[in-house]
Amino acid sequence: MPLRSRYKTSQWPRHGGQAAALLARFGLPPDHPIEDFSANLNPLGPPDWVPAWLERHVSELTRYPDVDYVAAREAIAAHHGVSRDQVLLTNGGGEAIFLAASLCAGGRAGVLTPTFNEYARALDGVGAEVCEISFTHPLDGLDAVFLCRPNNPDGGLLALVEVEALLARAAAADCRLIVDEAFIDLTVDEDANALPARLAAHPNLILLRSMTKFYTLPGLRLGYALASEALIAAMACRQPPWSVNQLAAGLVAPLLADSDFAARTQAWLTAERPRMQQALERRGLEVAPGATCFFLLRPGVALRRQGITAEVMLEWLLGGGILARHTHGYAGLDGEWLRLALRDERANHRLLKVLDACLR
Ligand SMILES: Cc1ncc(COP(=O)(O)O)c(C=O)c1O
Protein backbone atom coordinates (compact mmCIF):
# COMPACT_ATOMS: atom_id res chain seq x y z
CA MET A 1 0.00 0.00 0.00
CA PRO A 2 1.44 3.43 -0.79
CA LEU A 3 2.60 5.37 2.25
CA ARG A 4 0.05 8.11 1.79
CA SER A 5 -3.07 5.99 2.02
CA ARG A 6 -1.63 3.89 4.85
CA TYR A 7 -1.28 6.78 7.28
CA LYS A 8 -4.47 8.47 6.18
CA THR A 9 -6.68 5.42 6.60
CA SER A 10 -5.35 4.21 9.96
CA GLN A 11 -8.10 4.04 12.60
CA TRP A 12 -5.49 4.07 15.36
CA PRO A 13 -4.30 7.26 17.12
CA ARG A 14 -1.44 8.81 15.13
CA HIS A 15 0.84 9.55 18.10
CA GLY A 16 1.80 8.25 21.51
CA GLY A 17 0.24 9.81 24.61
CA GLN A 18 -3.34 9.39 23.29
CA ALA A 19 -4.75 7.38 26.19
CA ALA A 20 -8.41 8.35 25.73
CA ALA A 21 -8.62 6.97 22.17
CA LEU A 22 -7.06 3.62 23.12
CA LEU A 23 -9.11 3.22 26.30
CA ALA A 24 -12.29 3.79 24.27
CA ARG A 25 -11.13 1.34 21.60
CA PHE A 26 -10.68 -1.42 24.17
CA GLY A 27 -13.89 -0.61 26.08
CA LEU A 28 -12.12 0.70 29.19
CA PRO A 29 -13.47 3.68 31.18
CA PRO A 30 -11.83 7.07 30.48
CA ASP A 31 -10.64 7.28 34.11
CA HIS A 32 -8.87 3.87 33.97
CA PRO A 33 -5.52 4.65 35.69
CA ILE A 34 -2.58 4.35 33.33
CA GLU A 35 1.17 4.89 33.24
CA ASP A 36 2.13 6.28 29.84
CA PHE A 37 4.85 4.27 28.09
CA SER A 38 3.67 5.41 24.66
CA ALA A 39 5.32 8.86 24.58
CA ASN A 40 9.11 9.01 24.77
CA LEU A 41 10.03 11.72 27.24
CA ASN A 42 12.94 12.10 29.62
CA PRO A 43 11.64 10.83 33.01
CA LEU A 44 14.15 13.09 34.84
CA GLY A 45 12.68 16.28 33.42
CA PRO A 46 11.83 19.01 33.33
CA PRO A 47 14.83 20.36 35.26
CA ASP A 48 13.81 21.32 38.84
CA TRP A 49 14.32 25.05 38.31
CA VAL A 50 11.92 25.31 35.32
CA PRO A 51 8.61 25.91 37.21
CA ALA A 52 10.11 28.81 39.25
CA TRP A 53 11.71 30.23 36.09
CA LEU A 54 8.33 30.15 34.31
CA GLU A 55 6.66 31.90 37.24
CA ARG A 56 9.31 34.62 37.27
CA HIS A 57 8.93 35.22 33.54
CA VAL A 58 5.18 34.82 33.10
CA SER A 59 4.64 38.62 32.92
CA GLU A 60 6.61 38.57 29.63
CA LEU A 61 3.55 37.00 27.98
CA THR A 62 2.12 40.53 27.69
CA ARG A 63 4.58 41.40 24.92
CA TYR A 64 5.52 39.91 21.57
CA PRO A 65 8.63 37.75 21.41
CA ASP A 66 11.64 39.01 19.42
CA VAL A 67 10.51 37.95 15.94
CA ASP A 68 14.08 36.89 15.08
CA TYR A 69 14.72 35.05 18.38
CA VAL A 70 18.28 36.38 18.39
CA ALA A 71 19.21 35.38 21.96
CA ALA A 72 17.82 31.84 21.64
CA ARG A 73 19.46 31.28 18.26
CA GLU A 74 22.78 32.58 19.57
CA ALA A 75 22.63 30.14 22.48
CA ILE A 76 21.91 27.23 20.10
CA ALA A 77 24.64 28.37 17.69
CA ALA A 78 27.21 28.54 20.52
CA HIS A 79 26.09 25.10 21.77
CA HIS A 80 26.76 23.51 18.38
CA GLY A 81 29.64 25.68 17.11
CA VAL A 82 27.71 27.07 14.11
CA SER A 83 26.70 30.62 13.18
CA ARG A 84 23.44 32.20 14.36
CA ASP A 85 22.23 32.35 10.74
CA GLN A 86 22.50 28.58 10.56
CA VAL A 87 19.82 28.20 13.25
CA LEU A 88 16.03 28.38 12.94
CA LEU A 89 14.05 28.25 16.20
CA THR A 90 10.83 26.25 15.80
CA ASN A 91 7.64 25.34 17.61
CA GLY A 92 8.87 21.87 18.52
CA GLY A 93 10.76 19.45 16.31
CA GLY A 94 7.41 18.96 14.57
CA GLU A 95 7.43 22.44 13.02
CA ALA A 96 11.03 21.93 11.91
CA ILE A 97 9.91 18.78 10.03
CA PHE A 98 7.12 20.64 8.25
CA LEU A 99 9.39 23.56 7.30
CA ALA A 100 12.08 21.22 5.94
CA ALA A 101 9.42 19.32 3.99
CA SER A 102 8.09 22.59 2.55
CA LEU A 103 11.37 22.93 0.65
CA CYS A 104 10.31 19.87 -1.39
CA ALA A 105 6.95 21.36 -2.44
CA GLY A 106 5.76 19.77 -5.67
CA GLY A 107 8.86 17.56 -5.89
CA ARG A 108 9.84 14.03 -4.80
CA ALA A 109 11.28 12.98 -1.47
CA GLY A 110 12.53 9.68 -0.09
CA VAL A 111 11.67 8.47 3.39
CA LEU A 112 13.81 5.72 4.91
CA THR A 113 11.16 3.42 6.38
CA PRO A 114 9.84 2.23 8.77
CA THR A 115 9.95 5.62 10.44
CA PHE A 116 8.06 8.52 12.00
CA ASN A 117 4.90 9.14 9.94
CA GLU A 118 5.05 12.92 10.10
CA TYR A 119 7.65 13.16 7.30
CA ALA A 120 5.18 11.63 4.85
CA ARG A 121 2.32 13.75 6.18
CA ALA A 122 4.35 16.96 5.89
CA LEU A 123 5.52 16.07 2.37
CA ASP A 124 2.02 15.13 1.31
CA GLY A 125 0.76 18.49 2.58
CA VAL A 126 3.05 20.36 0.18
CA GLY A 127 2.20 18.14 -2.78
CA ALA A 128 5.50 16.25 -2.76
CA GLU A 129 5.58 12.65 -3.95
CA VAL A 130 6.66 10.39 -1.07
CA CYS A 131 8.87 7.40 -1.91
CA GLU A 132 9.55 4.73 0.69
CA ILE A 133 13.21 3.88 0.22
CA SER A 134 15.94 1.74 1.73
CA PHE A 135 19.57 2.81 2.28
CA THR A 136 20.73 1.36 -1.00
CA HIS A 137 18.05 3.06 -3.09
CA PRO A 138 19.47 5.38 -5.82
CA LEU A 139 18.92 9.02 -4.89
CA ASP A 140 18.74 10.46 -8.41
CA GLY A 141 15.50 12.32 -9.03
CA LEU A 142 14.84 12.92 -5.32
CA ASP A 143 14.83 16.47 -3.92
CA ALA A 144 15.43 15.24 -0.39
CA VAL A 145 15.71 12.19 1.82
CA PHE A 146 14.39 12.06 5.39
CA LEU A 147 16.42 10.03 7.87
CA CYS A 148 15.47 9.69 11.54
CA ARG A 149 18.56 9.17 13.75
CA PRO A 150 18.01 7.45 16.11
CA ASN A 151 15.00 6.11 14.34
CA ASN A 152 11.49 6.23 15.69
CA PRO A 153 10.05 3.58 16.21
CA ASP A 154 12.96 1.10 16.57
CA GLY A 155 15.61 3.32 18.18
CA GLY A 156 18.27 2.18 15.67
CA LEU A 157 21.18 4.58 15.24
CA LEU A 158 22.70 4.60 11.76
CA ALA A 159 26.51 4.63 12.16
CA LEU A 160 28.19 7.94 11.44
CA VAL A 161 30.21 6.43 8.56
CA GLU A 162 26.99 5.33 6.93
CA VAL A 163 25.47 8.79 7.35
CA GLU A 164 28.60 10.21 5.72
CA ALA A 165 28.30 7.78 2.82
CA LEU A 166 24.64 8.75 2.41
CA LEU A 167 25.59 12.45 2.53
CA ALA A 168 28.14 11.95 -0.23
CA ARG A 169 25.63 10.07 -2.39
CA ALA A 170 23.01 12.77 -1.72
CA ALA A 171 25.45 15.52 -2.72
CA ALA A 172 26.28 13.67 -5.95
CA ALA A 173 22.54 13.37 -6.74
CA ASP A 174 21.86 17.05 -5.83
CA CYS A 175 19.54 15.83 -3.11
CA ARG A 176 19.21 17.21 0.43
CA LEU A 177 19.65 14.92 3.42
CA ILE A 178 17.28 15.87 6.25
CA VAL A 179 18.29 14.16 9.48
CA ASP A 180 15.76 14.26 12.31
CA GLU A 181 17.79 14.08 15.52
CA ALA A 182 14.83 14.54 17.87
CA PHE A 183 16.12 11.77 20.18
CA ILE A 184 19.88 12.26 19.76
CA ASP A 185 20.37 13.73 23.25
CA LEU A 186 18.55 10.71 24.64
CA THR A 187 20.98 8.31 22.99
CA VAL A 188 24.00 6.50 24.34
CA ASP A 189 26.64 7.08 21.67
CA GLU A 190 29.95 8.93 21.72
CA ASP A 191 29.29 10.35 18.23
CA ALA A 192 25.79 11.55 19.14
CA ASN A 193 26.60 15.21 18.56
CA ALA A 194 28.90 14.81 15.57
CA LEU A 195 26.64 15.94 12.73
CA PRO A 196 26.41 19.72 13.42
CA ALA A 197 30.17 19.92 12.78
CA ARG A 198 29.57 18.38 9.32
CA LEU A 199 27.30 21.24 8.23
CA ALA A 200 30.21 23.39 7.04
CA ALA A 201 31.29 20.74 4.54
CA HIS A 202 27.77 19.67 3.52
CA PRO A 203 25.47 22.45 2.28
CA ASN A 204 22.87 19.76 1.42
CA LEU A 205 22.48 18.68 5.07
CA ILE A 206 19.59 19.77 7.32
CA LEU A 207 19.46 18.72 10.98
CA LEU A 208 16.23 18.83 12.96
CA ARG A 209 16.19 18.89 16.74
CA SER A 210 13.53 18.72 19.45
CA MET A 211 13.96 20.19 22.93
CA THR A 212 10.59 18.92 24.13
CA LYS A 213 11.61 15.31 24.66
CA PHE A 214 14.95 15.78 26.37
CA TYR A 215 13.64 18.49 28.73
CA THR A 216 10.15 16.92 29.13
CA LEU A 217 8.34 20.04 27.93
CA PRO A 218 6.10 18.72 25.13
CA GLY A 219 3.35 21.19 26.04
CA LEU A 220 5.70 24.15 25.74
CA ARG A 221 6.84 23.26 22.18
CA LEU A 222 10.48 23.90 21.39
CA GLY A 223 12.81 22.73 18.64
CA TYR A 224 15.17 23.99 15.97
CA ALA A 225 16.75 23.32 12.60
CA LEU A 226 20.44 23.62 11.71
CA ALA A 227 21.59 23.97 8.11
CA SER A 228 23.45 26.27 5.72
CA GLU A 229 22.49 29.95 5.93
CA ALA A 230 20.72 29.67 2.56
CA LEU A 231 18.55 26.72 3.59
CA ILE A 232 17.74 28.30 6.96
CA ALA A 233 16.67 31.50 5.17
CA ALA A 234 14.48 29.45 2.80
CA MET A 235 12.77 27.70 5.72
CA ALA A 236 12.46 30.93 7.76
CA CYS A 237 10.43 32.66 5.09
CA ARG A 238 7.89 29.81 5.22
CA GLN A 239 7.50 30.04 9.01
CA PRO A 240 4.66 32.10 10.53
CA PRO A 241 5.91 35.06 12.60
CA TRP A 242 6.24 34.49 16.39
CA SER A 243 5.79 30.78 15.92
CA VAL A 244 7.63 30.11 19.19
CA ASN A 245 6.15 31.64 22.33
CA GLN A 246 8.07 34.05 24.56
CA LEU A 247 8.54 31.64 27.48
CA ALA A 248 9.80 28.80 25.28
CA ALA A 249 12.26 31.10 23.50
CA GLY A 250 13.47 32.53 26.81
CA LEU A 251 14.13 29.05 28.20
CA VAL A 252 16.50 28.00 25.42
CA ALA A 253 19.70 29.50 26.87
CA PRO A 254 19.20 28.35 30.49
CA LEU A 255 18.15 24.85 29.35
CA LEU A 256 21.24 24.44 27.18
CA ALA A 257 23.43 25.70 30.02
CA ASP A 258 22.18 23.00 32.42
CA SER A 259 25.02 20.52 31.97
CA ASP A 260 24.18 18.79 35.26
CA PHE A 261 20.75 17.78 33.89
CA ALA A 262 22.39 16.45 30.73
CA ALA A 263 24.91 14.42 32.75
CA ARG A 264 22.19 12.94 34.99
CA THR A 265 20.16 12.00 31.91
CA GLN A 266 23.13 10.19 30.36
CA ALA A 267 23.78 8.34 33.63
CA TRP A 268 20.13 7.18 33.79
CA LEU A 269 20.16 6.03 30.15
CA THR A 270 23.47 4.21 30.46
CA ALA A 271 22.30 2.27 33.52
CA GLU A 272 18.60 1.75 32.85
CA ARG A 273 18.56 0.91 29.15
CA PRO A 274 20.63 -2.32 29.23
CA ARG A 275 18.94 -3.37 32.49
CA MET A 276 15.46 -3.06 30.94
CA GLN A 277 16.48 -4.61 27.64
CA GLN A 278 17.69 -7.73 29.44
CA ALA A 279 14.56 -7.83 31.63
CA LEU A 280 12.31 -7.63 28.56
CA GLU A 281 14.27 -10.31 26.69
CA ARG A 282 14.20 -12.61 29.72
CA ARG A 283 10.40 -12.44 29.51
CA GLY A 284 10.44 -13.90 25.99
CA LEU A 285 10.12 -10.60 24.12
CA GLU A 286 12.08 -9.88 20.97
CA VAL A 287 13.64 -6.41 21.26
CA ALA A 288 14.86 -4.61 18.12
CA PRO A 289 18.47 -3.32 18.34
CA GLY A 290 18.36 0.29 19.49
CA ALA A 291 20.31 2.97 21.32
CA THR A 292 17.79 5.38 22.74
CA CYS A 293 15.02 5.90 25.31
CA PHE A 294 12.46 3.43 23.93
CA PHE A 295 12.18 -0.18 22.81
CA LEU A 296 10.51 -1.65 19.76
CA LEU A 297 9.47 -5.16 20.70
CA ARG A 298 7.14 -8.02 19.96
CA PRO A 299 6.33 -11.35 21.54
CA GLY A 300 9.12 -13.80 20.72
CA VAL A 301 8.51 -16.96 18.68
CA ALA A 302 7.54 -19.07 21.70
CA LEU A 303 4.94 -16.55 22.82
CA ARG A 304 3.62 -16.06 19.29
CA ARG A 305 3.13 -19.84 19.01
CA GLN A 306 0.80 -19.54 22.03
CA GLY A 307 -1.24 -16.98 20.10
CA ILE A 308 0.17 -13.97 21.96
CA THR A 309 0.35 -11.18 19.40
CA ALA A 310 1.36 -7.56 19.86
CA GLU A 311 -2.28 -6.57 19.88
CA VAL A 312 -3.08 -9.09 22.61
CA MET A 313 -0.18 -7.67 24.63
CA LEU A 314 -1.31 -4.09 24.00
CA GLU A 315 -4.74 -4.91 25.40
CA TRP A 316 -3.38 -6.85 28.38
CA LEU A 317 -0.96 -4.05 29.22
CA LEU A 318 -3.69 -1.43 28.96
CA GLY A 319 -5.88 -3.50 31.27
CA GLY A 320 -2.95 -3.57 33.73
CA GLY A 321 -2.57 0.22 33.51
CA ILE A 322 0.31 0.43 31.00
CA LEU A 323 -0.18 2.47 27.84
CA ALA A 324 2.07 1.09 25.04
CA ARG A 325 2.43 2.56 21.53
CA HIS A 326 0.89 0.48 18.73
CA THR A 327 2.71 0.33 15.37
CA HIS A 328 -0.25 0.41 13.00
CA GLY A 329 0.55 2.74 10.14
CA TYR A 330 4.33 2.13 10.31
CA ALA A 331 5.51 0.70 6.99
CA GLY A 332 6.70 -2.88 7.46
CA LEU A 333 5.55 -3.14 11.10
CA ASP A 334 1.78 -2.91 10.65
CA GLY A 335 0.83 -3.47 14.25
CA GLU A 336 2.99 -6.56 14.80
CA TRP A 337 5.32 -4.71 17.16
CA LEU A 338 4.84 -2.41 20.14
CA ARG A 339 6.93 0.51 21.30
CA LEU A 340 7.57 1.04 25.00
CA ALA A 341 9.33 4.05 26.50
CA LEU A 342 12.21 3.69 28.92
CA ARG A 343 11.10 5.41 32.12
CA ASP A 344 12.47 5.79 35.62
CA GLU A 345 13.31 2.76 37.73
CA ARG A 346 10.00 2.83 39.64
CA ALA A 347 7.84 2.98 36.50
CA ASN A 348 9.97 0.40 34.68
CA HIS A 349 9.61 -1.95 37.64
CA ARG A 350 5.81 -1.52 37.48
CA LEU A 351 5.87 -2.32 33.75
CA LEU A 352 7.78 -5.54 34.39
CA LYS A 353 5.29 -6.56 37.11
CA VAL A 354 2.34 -6.00 34.76
CA LEU A 355 4.16 -7.90 32.00
CA ASP A 356 4.75 -10.82 34.37
CA ALA A 357 1.06 -10.88 35.25
CA CYS A 358 0.08 -10.79 31.56
CA LEU A 359 2.52 -13.47 30.43
CA ARG A 360 2.00 -15.84 33.32
C1 LIG B 1 11.16 11.31 15.45
C2 LIG B 1 10.42 12.50 15.95
N1 LIG B 1 10.75 13.71 15.47
C3 LIG B 1 10.12 14.82 15.88
C4 LIG B 1 9.10 14.75 16.79
C5 LIG B 1 8.40 16.02 17.20
O1 LIG B 1 8.84 16.42 18.47
P1 LIG B 1 8.30 17.75 19.13
O2 LIG B 1 7.45 17.36 20.28
O3 LIG B 1 9.54 18.50 19.55
O4 LIG B 1 7.53 18.50 18.08
C6 LIG B 1 8.70 13.51 17.30
C7 LIG B 1 7.59 13.42 18.27
O5 LIG B 1 7.15 12.36 18.64
C8 LIG B 1 9.39 12.36 16.88
O6 LIG B 1 9.07 11.14 17.33
Side-chain angles (χ1 to χ4, degrees), residues 232-251:
I232 290 295
M235 285 192 275
C237 70
R238 291 163 164 88
Q239 184 182 38
W242 308 292
S243 185
V244 180
N245 72 74
Q246 170 76 7
L247 294 180
L251 266 174

Side-chain angles (χ1 to χ4, degrees), residues 121-185:
R121 221 170 66 84
L123 289 163
D124 196 47
V126 294
E129 187 189 337
V130 183
C131 310
E132 279 180 13
I133 60 166
S134 65
F135 287 105
T136 50
H137 192 281
L139 304 181
D140 305 286
L142 294 177
D143 297 294
V145 168
F146 272 86
L147 163 70
C148 188
R149 182 176 186 270
N151 191 37
N152 178 2
D154 56 279
L157 186 76
L158 189 67
L160 200 54
V161 286
E162 294 190 61
V163 179
E164 276 166 349
L166 196 59
L167 258 174
R169 286 206 294 129
D174 196 19
C175 164
R176 281 187 284 273
L177 182 64
I178 301 169
V179 187
D180 182 357
E181 299 193 307
F183 291 103
I184 202 75
D185 291 328

Side-chain angles (χ1 to χ4, degrees), residues 187-189 263-275 342:
T187 301
V188 187
D189 182 68
R264 283 192 297 116
T265 299
Q266 274 298 315
W268 154 75
L269 256 178
T270 311
E272 198 62 6
R273 190 182 195 319
R275 193 185 76 80
L342 180 71

Side-chain angles (χ1 to χ4, degrees), residues 187-207:
T187 301
V188 187
D189 182 68
E190 57 186 20
D191 289 330
N193 266 305
L195 282 181
R198 305 294 197 276
L199 285 167
H202 294 286
N204 62 328
L205 175 63
I206 301 179
L207 301 175

Side-chain angles (χ1 to χ4, degrees), residues 92-94 97 116 119 148 152 180 182-183 210 212-213 221-222:
I97 292 171
F116 191 44
Y119 313 135
C148 188
N152 178 2
D180 182 357
F183 291 103
S210 161
T212 64
K213 297 171 185 308
R221 316 300 306 130
L222 198 49

Side-chain angles (χ1 to χ4, degrees), residues 14-16 38-41 90-97 115-119 147-153 180-183 208-214 217-219 221-224 294 325 330 339:
R14 227 175 58 219
H15 290 285
S38 70
N40 305 311
L41 298 167
T90 60
N91 191 289
E95 190 188 31
I97 292 171
T115 196
F116 191 44
N117 286 329
E118 292 299 320
Y119 313 135
L147 163 70
C148 188
R149 182 176 186 270
N151 191 37
N152 178 2
D180 182 357
E181 299 193 307
F183 291 103
L208 311 179
R209 294 279 185 126
S210 161
M211 292 179 75
T212 64
K213 297 171 185 308
F214 184 70
L217 293 166
R221 316 300 306 130
L222 198 49
Y224 55 93
F294 50 83
R325 173 69 164 91
Y330 279 107
R339 198 190 64 204

